[in-house]
């Protein structure tokens, strides 16, 4: 019986810690963000212009109410006033890794 519990625990942990989301590359994410997001969002310190009513990536990174699972779900679907970008799971992981890297 305990074997099943250990197995269930393992499945839960791997679902929650999601290797699919944690394997992103921040460098790749930054390139994606500059290409797809920078027309509206301020995605990094080097950028001068963006829409004023759109949250910056630095502020998104600090939002306590936006866990990465929610961000990932958010990025899998188009958001209002945002073009329909079809990001792959890998690209989403990369963008999230980049946003996470802005948190420091
Ligand atoms: C055409 C403009 C535009 C582009 C391009 C764009 N966004 Fe947005 N984004 C917005 C606007 C506008 C909001 C604010 C939406 C709102 O308040 O409803 C927003 C909000 C967000 C939020 C915050 C969601 C929240 O709940 O507060 C995230 C995260 C986000 N965008 C990520 C991205 C990423 C990642 C990209 C590039 C892959 C991107 N956006 C590209 C316009 C854009």
């Amino acid at each position: 019986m305990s074997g099943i519990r250990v197995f269930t625990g393992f499945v839960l942990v791997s679902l929650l810690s999601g290797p699919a989301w944690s394997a992103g590359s921040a460098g790749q994410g930054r390139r994606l963000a500059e290409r797809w997001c920078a027309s509206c969002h301020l995605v990094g310190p080097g950028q001068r212009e963006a829409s004023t009513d759109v949250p910056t990536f630095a502020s998104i990174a600090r939002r306590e109410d936006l866990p990465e699972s929610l961000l990932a779900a958010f990025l899998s679907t188009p958001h209002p006033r945002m073009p329909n970008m079809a990001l792959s799971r890998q690209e989403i992981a990369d963008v999230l890794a980049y946003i996470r890297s802005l948190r420091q």
Side-chain angles (χ1 to χ4, degrees), residues 36-37 39-41 53-55 57 60 63 66 71 74-75 79-83 85 87 95 99:
W36 293 107
C37 322
S39 51
C40 303
H41 292 271
D53 59 339
V54 177
F57 274 25
I60 290 170
R63 286 264 300 274
L66 271 184
L71 274 180
F74 177 80
L75 292 179
H79 58 277
R81 295 194 286 150
M82 207 164 128
M85 302 165 299
L87 296 177
V95 169
I99 291 180

